[in-house]
Amino acid sequence: MVSHKDPTRQFDKVDYYAHPEHYNPVFHERIAPYASVIVNCMYWERRFPRLLSIDHLKQLMKNGCPLVGISDITCDVGGSIEFVDKSTSIERPFFRYNPSTNLYHDDMEGDGVICLAVDILPTEFSKEASQHFGDILSKFVANLASAKGLVELPSYLRRACIAHAGRLTSLYEYIPRMRRTLIDMAPTKENPLPNKQYTTLVSLSGHLFDKFLINEALDVIEKAGGSFRLVRCDVGQSIDDMSYSELEVGADDADNLDRIIDTLTSLAKDHDGDPNARKETEISLEIGKVNGCRTDDTMDKGGPKVLILGAGRVCRPAAEFLASSPNTFACGANDNNTCQVHVIVASLYQKDSEETVDGIKNATATQLDVTDTERLSDLVSQVEVVVSLLPASCHASIARVCIELKKHLVTASYVDESMSKLSQAAECAGVTILCEMGLDPGIDHMMAMKMIDEAHARQGKIKAFTSYCGGLPSPAAANNPLAYKFSWSPAGAIRAGKNPAVFKFLGEIIHVDGNTLFDSAKRLRLSELPAFALEHLPNRNSLIYGELYGISKEASTVYRATLRYEGFSEIMAILSKIRWFDAVDHPLLQGNNRPTYRSFLHELLNFNNISTTATNNEASGGHDDDLISRLLILGHCKEKEIAIKTVKTIKFLGLNEETPIPKDCSSAFDVICQRMEQKMAYEDNEQDMVLLHHEIEVEYADGRPKEKHQATLLEFGKVEDGRCTTAMALTVGIPAAIGAQLLLQNKVQRKGVIRPLEPEVYIPALEILESSGIKLMERVET
């Protein structure tokens, strides 16, 4: 349906969801010209390209397209099918649109495309379904018709009756009670809910609705004079599934809230404590952190405030840094009064934001759907700086709100086209939008510009700039054949490893095809870190950094690379040759008859003629020898040693097990991603590691000897008070928080959309970074 605007780039779903503006629609070129009927059932948002626009349709009809009709099940008026400008009814389901005249009419005669857009179509039953359900329900009609009261009905019908005599039955009274908190009493600035001084989040799971345990929980809260608001509700879809609800429970005083929680806890124990109790009556309970005041109360406090959007791993280091910063800020009319920063962490789920701020002084949790512009604007209007740690696709809409309300914004994401377009508006509003304030991008920019500016100040010219960066397991945690672990999606990491790359080396522009990227890996030995055996792979487009750093005309080498432990790429390259990274649906993985991992591996290696019984004796190494020989015969490996390492990796990932492949895997890529996610995750006690290393070569026109400047950042994850903080979270979250601190202190004067490339940002930021414990090692060689 879409293709990347850069013809050298392939479609990448993760990238597409994050940056749809990088893609052009091609459905009207590749599919629509050959279609007579299109049924559109695809969810769509306005930031994505349309499936068919009015202009697309006009051109298609001019070219003789056979399209007769559109059935738009989504009924997004003016949406992915732009010319569907209204919904229709079951009684009058069709209208025609004539692209040549740009006119609509309800008469089925005449020219134009027939459009069906019944927005309640999913409520209709087919004739066969109606007959089937009717045959079953007819057996119960007599009892229902003859009963004068509910007590006369069999128990299975009595419990199934939602309404009787014009009223909801007692078992279903929870419906209006929960709906009221979502609709009639939705929180507003004038009517926040729960309207109580003390609140906490209660998470209930179990057979809440089919066994009506939710009624008991709501009774406990209301009988004690408390209030509740439904934050989240996931209802199980069958009698075997559990349901999950999050309730924000409030009370006027802490003691009353404690009593409510104690009663709820007893309720959960009553259902869950009996080992002989039936499974379907079990209920479990989790209690969140008690907030001593509402977010609105927090906003009334004096002192500077920072709003952090997002409650992922990166958020807590940022919140801790800002809330406990030793720096104080002018507070109120008298500058002699100082007060610390107050941090508000907002997340889609209250529970997530509460867990993030747990134990942090001067921090408050709140719930926010960032697409709720009114609520977002309300929060932004009451703070000085916003830090967005949400996905990059959210930043532009957040930036617009910040510009409108004249509030500064910090992000750790790359500046994309949608953000660049906002620079002039931000500048006119006197707003600084400080982007790329993380690790990479972020600390890499600041280290690079410090080294480059210092060299230029000494009248030197940059002849070569080289940068290496990687998020890796610590050496102790690199305990699998690939010496790598995932703290994020394996699919995204693998796709990133197949992107094409371009860089400049000794004046020559070098292009690396994505399919051979793993083959291009080179060894790296750092004198500062002699114990690390590393390799590097070129990282996408290095040339733009020559422009960004102002060295493209003087540097003959500009190279940025991703770091891995040595040996990673050669195994990944062989797995790629075996077609494990093939994302196309494989015929063997279609349908319910699932192959085993071993039989699928044999299919990929084209030796299904070898019987599995003859090669099943792994104790003797027979199957391993078969795999090693096959890799060598097919030419996937040139050396037996590498083939042995690859087979060890295959065995570690379980890709030769005699267990069926799950139904949700339809391609080889799905299979290996699923296995990597299961086998290559960090254990609770394992540390990750971040390594960033810059080298620049400086040349002087006055005959001074050339210099080689090096700067290295090495950071490990930390475990404090039983809480693990990854090195990646520290090196992304703390720089973002430093950016907010500099804006609070008015140390950044530039307005508009900027990166940390100027001395006014990177000099104090690097100093604060080092004082916070993230140290940079620097040295110069001649």
Side-chain angles (χ1 to χ4, degrees), residues 19-216:
H19 300 289
E21 70 278 2
H22 294 170
Y23 292 80
N24 288 321
V26 293
F27 180 84
H28 64 290
E29 298 172 350
R30 297 181 180 176
I31 306 296
Y34 314 103
S36 54
V37 174
I38 297 173
V39 181
N40 180 38
C41 312
M42 179 183 64
Y43 176 73
W44 181 79
E45 295 176 358
R46 294 198 174 273
R47 60 196 186 94
F48 292 99
R50 284 190 166 92
L51 195 69
L52 277 181
S53 69
I54 292 174
D55 290 338
H56 292 159
L57 183 65
K58 288 180 178 179
Q59 191 59 47
L60 286 168
M61 290 309 181
K62 283 182 183 178
N63 295 339
C65 170
L67 187 63
V68 173
I70 296 282
S71 177
D72 192 356
I73 306 300
T74 69
C75 296
D76 290 326
V77 173
S80 58
I81 306 291
E82 186 180 17
F83 48 88
V84 174
D85 72 334
K86 62 180 179 180
S87 61
T88 57
S89 66
I90 292 172
E91 294 76 17
R92 299 179 62 85
F94 303 108
F95 64 86
R96 275 192 185 271
Y97 170 67
N98 190 335
S100 61
T101 61
N102 199 29
L103 295 176
Y104 295 84
H105 60 90
D106 295 328
D107 185 2
M108 288 298 94
E109 301 299 324
D111 297 326
V113 176
I114 299 172
C115 300
L116 179 147
V118 179
D119 52 6
I120 61 167
L121 192 64
T123 66
E124 289 202 304
F125 287 120
S126 66
K127 179 180 178 181
E128 293 83 356
S130 298
Q131 184 65 51
H132 174 72
F133 289 125
D135 290 343
I136 295 173
L137 291 174
S138 62
K139 300 173 184 177
F140 304 105
V141 170
N143 278 327
L144 287 170
S146 61
K148 296 180 180 179
L150 287 178
V151 292
E152 299 179 15
L153 291 174
S155 61
Y156 53 83
L157 287 180
R158 186 167 63 249
R159 292 176 68 84
C161 281
I162 300 174
H164 177 70
R167 298 181 62 184
L168 288 168
T169 60
S170 60
L171 293 177
Y172 293 89
E173 287 178 350
Y174 69 85
I175 294 175
R177 296 161 77 183
M178 297 183 80
R179 286 190 65 198
R180 189 164 59 247
T181 71
L182 281 172
I183 301 172
D184 301 337
M185 300 172 68
T188 63
K189 190 171 182 179
E190 294 76 22
N191 181 33
L193 276 180
N195 191 23
K196 304 291 182 181
Q197 185 176 0
Y198 295 88
T199 64
T200 188
L201 196 72
V202 173
S203 300
L204 295 166
S205 63
H207 287 267
L208 305 177
F209 300 98
D210 52 341
K211 299 301 174 183
F212 308 104
L213 301 177
I214 191 70
N215 284 323
E216 298 181 54

Side-chain angles (χ1 to χ4, degrees), residues 328-434:
T328 52
F329 305 87
C331 180
N334 185 350
D335 286 350
N336 292 324
N337 295 328
T338 59
C339 46
Q340 286 187 298
V341 176
H342 196 99
V343 178
I344 299 95
V345 174
S347 178
L348 182 60
Y349 298 121
Q350 177 84 11
K351 181 180 180 182
D352 294 340
S353 52
E354 286 184 351
E355 288 177 350
T356 297
V357 303
D358 184 29
I360 302 178
K361 190 178 179 181
N362 300 326
T364 303
T366 192
Q367 189 271 338
L368 170 69
D369 181 346
V370 77
T371 62
D372 182 351
T373 306
E374 184 177 352
R375 169 69 170 151
L376 174 64
S377 299
D378 183 43
L379 286 174
V380 171
S381 67
Q382 300 176 70
V383 303
E384 281 68 42
V385 179
V386 178
V387 177
S388 177
L389 299 174
L390 293 170
S393 56
C394 301
H395 292 334
S397 58
I398 295 166
R400 292 188 191 97
V401 172
C402 290
I403 291 169
E404 181 181 350
L405 297 172
K406 294 182 168 51
K407 305 293 183 179
H408 302 307
L409 172 65
V410 181
T411 83
S413 301
Y414 285 103
V415 175
D416 60 17
E417 185 179 357
S418 62
M419 289 293 279
S420 295
K421 289 179 179 178
L422 297 174
S423 187
Q424 186 175 356
E427 194 171 351
C428 293
V431 169
T432 300
I433 299 178
L434 177 55

Side-chain angles (χ1 to χ4, degrees), residues 234-367:
D234 297 327
V235 181
Q237 298 301 301
S238 76
I239 60 172
D240 297 320
D241 293 334
M242 307 285 262
S243 298
Y244 176 82
S245 287
E246 284 187 7
L247 301 171
E248 187 178 3
V249 179
D252 290 324
D253 61 74
D255 290 340
N256 192 30
L257 184 59
D258 286 341
R259 284 191 292 272
I260 293 173
I261 297 307
D262 288 343
T263 309
L264 286 172
T265 304
S266 298
L267 173 66
K269 287 181 178 179
D270 288 343
H271 285 288
D272 195 32
D274 182 3
N276 298 316
R278 291 172 56 82
K279 182 179 180 181
E280 60 265 24
T281 62
E282 289 180 1
I283 181 173
S284 62
L285 174 74
E286 290 184 14
I287 308 298
K289 173 179 176 290
V290 175
N291 291 326
C293 59
R294 299 184 300 275
T295 305
D296 292 341
D297 297 328
T298 301
M299 295 301 187
D300 294 335
K301 295 180 179 179
K305 302 176 187 68
V306 176
L307 172 64
I308 301 180
L309 301 176
R313 296 182 180 184
V314 173
C315 178
R316 186 173 177 88
E320 285 180 322
F321 177 89
L322 285 167
S324 61
S325 173
N327 296 286
T328 52
F329 305 87
C331 180
N334 185 350
D335 286 350
N336 292 324
N337 295 328
T338 59
C339 46
Q340 286 187 298
V341 176
H342 196 99
V343 178
I344 299 95
V345 174
S347 178
L348 182 60
Y349 298 121
Q350 177 84 11
K351 181 180 180 182
D352 294 340
S353 52
E354 286 184 351
E355 288 177 350
T356 297
V357 303
D358 184 29
I360 302 178
K361 190 178 179 181
N362 300 326
T364 303
T366 192
Q367 189 271 338

Side-chain angles (χ1 to χ4, degrees), residues 348-605:
L348 182 60
Y349 298 121
Q350 177 84 11
K351 181 180 180 182
D352 294 340
S353 52
E354 286 184 351
E355 288 177 350
T356 297
V357 303
D358 184 29
I360 302 178
K361 190 178 179 181
N362 300 326
T364 303
T366 192
Q367 189 271 338
L368 170 69
D369 181 346
V370 77
T371 62
D372 182 351
T373 306
E374 184 177 352
R375 169 69 170 151
L376 174 64
S377 299
D378 183 43
L379 286 174
V380 171
S381 67
Q382 300 176 70
V383 303
E384 281 68 42
V385 179
V386 178
V387 177
S388 177
L389 299 174
L390 293 170
S393 56
C394 301
H395 292 334
S397 58
I398 295 166
R400 292 188 191 97
V401 172
C402 290
I403 291 169
E404 181 181 350
L405 297 172
K406 294 182 168 51
K407 305 293 183 179
H408 302 307
L409 172 65
V410 181
T411 83
S413 301
Y414 285 103
V415 175
D416 60 17
E417 185 179 357
S418 62
M419 289 293 279
S420 295
K421 289 179 179 178
L422 297 174
S423 187
Q424 186 175 356
E427 194 171 351
C428 293
V431 169
T432 300
I433 299 178
L434 177 55
C435 302
E436 303 188 10
M437 198 69 184
L439 168 67
D440 179 0
I443 300 176
D444 61 339
H445 288 330
M446 294 187 280
M447 285 172 55
M449 290 311 302
K450 177 177 181 290
M451 298 166 76
I452 290 168
D453 285 350
E454 287 176 352
H456 285 164
R458 297 191 302 273
Q459 307 303 312
K461 286 188 176 182
I462 309 302
K463 299 305 294 180
F465 171 80
T466 310
S467 174
Y468 309 96
C469 187
L472 300 163
S474 66
N479 50 13
N480 63 55
L482 285 167
Y484 190 73
K485 293 195 173 176
F486 294 99
S487 57
W488 58 309
S489 164
I494 293 170
R495 288 192 184 102
K498 293 179 70 66
N499 284 316
V502 59
F503 58 92
K504 183 161 66 168
F505 181 70
L506 298 179
E508 181 183 359
I509 305 299
I510 309 293
H511 291 269
V512 180
D513 184 84
N515 293 323
T516 61
L517 189 71
F518 289 127
D519 294 312
S520 69
K522 300 287 190 300
R523 295 175 65 185
L524 178 67
R525 290 287 185 267
L526 298 178
S527 55
E528 296 84 354
L529 306 167
F532 293 91
L534 300 168
E535 64 184 29
H536 58 91
L537 301 92
N539 186 354
R540 299 202 181 192
N541 187 352
S542 297
L543 303 182
I544 60 175
Y545 291 85
E547 298 287 342
L548 206 58
Y549 299 159
I551 58 172
S552 57
K553 293 182 179 178
E554 58 188 285
S556 60
T557 295
V558 178
Y559 177 71
R560 281 172 44 95
T562 301
L563 291 175
R564 294 289 181 263
Y565 285 115
E566 192 173 331
F568 171 88
S569 295
E570 64 182 4
I571 296 175
M572 293 292 280
I574 295 166
L575 293 175
S576 180
K577 291 170 185 174
I578 304 173
R579 309 200 319 276
W580 273 116
F581 302 146
D582 189 346
V584 178
D585 288 355
H586 195 284
L588 275 184
L589 298 176
Q590 310 310 305
N592 294 323
N593 188 17
R594 307 302 291 176
T596 64
Y597 290 100
R598 184 192 294 260
S599 62
F600 189 64
L601 173 64
H602 283 193
E603 171 70 18
L604 294 182
L605 289 172

